[in-house]
Amino acid sequence: MNLRIKYRLYIHVDGKLIPEQYDRYEILNVREGIDPNDTKDYEELIKKLSKSINRPVNEFEIKNYETM
């Protein structure tokens, strides 16, 4: 199953994390039946997105997602 994820990336400026002006999108191939509303599945989704965009978990925020 593919999920289209909208997220906001945060960048380091003078030792602070500042959100970028625009949202970004990523399409992830996730296991069938994943429920992002479930805490355990949400953590799995965050880790997978972190690997995909090569950023630590604290440097982005998921805005929304939709199945494709």
Side-chain angles (χ1 to χ4, degrees):
M1 173 170 76
N2 289 329
L3 281 181
R4 179 176 176 227
I5 300 174
K6 178 180 174 183
Y7 66 97
R8 177 72 50 102
L9 193 62
Y10 289 79
I11 54 174
H12 289 277
V13 177
D14 296 329
K16 297 179 184 175
L17 285 174
I18 307 295
E20 286 188 332
Q21 187 174 0
Y22 302 104
D23 292 331
R24 295 179 180 217
Y25 294 88
E26 188 77 17
I27 296 174
L28 292 179
N29 188 345
V30 296
R31 66 179 166 76
E32 288 293 326
I34 193 167
D35 179 15
N37 295 321
D38 180 41
T39 307
K40 187 177 179 182
D41 288 348
Y42 187 73
E43 290 297 321
E44 178 183 335
L45 189 60
I46 287 176
K47 288 177 186 176
K48 193 163 190 131
L49 180 60
S50 176
K51 270 187 175 178
S52 178
I53 63 175
N54 200 23
R55 294 286 190 151
V57 174
N58 68 334
E59 289 187 7
F60 64 87
E61 173 188 7
I62 294 178
K63 296 290 190 173
N64 67 14
Y65 45 84
E66 60 186 56
T67 58
M68 297 184 70

